[in-house]
Amino acid sequence: MYPEYMVAPIREDLTSAGFEQLMTSEEVEKVLSESEGTVLVAVNSVCGCAAAKARPALKMAVSAADKRPTKLVTVFAGMETEAVAKAREHMLPYPPSSPSIALFKNGELVHMIERYHIEGNDLVRIVDNLKGAFEEYC
């Protein structure tokens, strides 16, 4: 686990953009078991690709998309272990990855962006990927 003073500004990067920080496995289960609408889940991280690509792409896609998910949530890898584990249960069969981004529709995983999609791509491609998923599923 990281010191809270270190992750607080990283959390705020997404919460200030409208993402709800989920802190417990119960909160994750409640949000992801909702039967209607779309939920975008960001697995946040302290790593460089989260700072340089994942969080900026999330914020840009959400603010620029014509269609957007009903709910925006985030869990923080390396901090709330149970909440992250519960989110990752819903992301199976994809292996644990942070950062990562998952889109759920009516409780089912419909789109997944793993770490290798983030660190191996430029920012514009990640934004376009997200906007395309929003257009298709939201």
Side-chain angles (χ1 to χ4, degrees):
M1 295 206 11
Y2 302 101
E4 184 58 36
Y5 72 86
M6 185 173 152
V7 299
I10 300 170
R11 287 184 201 278
E12 188 178 341
D13 195 16
L14 289 180
T15 58
S16 66
F19 284 77
E20 176 186 354
Q21 177 70 54
L22 303 179
M23 305 294 277
T24 67
S25 59
E26 292 81 15
E27 290 174 338
V28 171
E29 187 60 35
K30 181 179 181 210
V31 167
L32 293 183
S33 65
E34 290 178 359
S35 59
E36 292 184 26
T38 51
V39 179
L40 183 66
V41 179
V43 179
N44 203 350
S45 171
V46 298
C47 73
C49 64
K53 295 182 180 181
R55 290 191 302 273
L58 284 159
K59 293 184 295 183
M60 290 170 67
V62 167
S63 67
D66 293 328
K67 294 182 178 181
R68 56 180 284 186
T70 311
K71 192 163 191 68
L72 308 170
V73 300
T74 182
V75 293
F76 206 111
M79 293 300 290
E80 292 76 38
T81 333
E82 291 177 11
V84 173
K86 181 56 75 177
R88 286 177 171 159
E89 280 178 25
H90 287 271
M91 295 174 191
L92 291 171
Y94 295 95
S97 173
S98 58
S100 60
I101 304 164
L103 182 64
F104 294 84
K105 182 172 185 173
N106 300 330
E108 292 195 36
L109 180 63
V110 293
H111 191 75
M112 184 74 184
I113 299 176
E114 298 176 81
R115 179 185 176 109
Y116 78 90
H117 295 118
I118 295 167
E119 51 184 8
N121 266 315
D122 64 43
L123 185 59
V124 174
R125 285 187 182 178
I126 301 165
V127 171
D128 288 345
N129 181 316
L130 287 167
K131 287 171 56 179
F134 298 167
E135 189 64 34
E136 182 173 349
Y137 298 108
C138 297

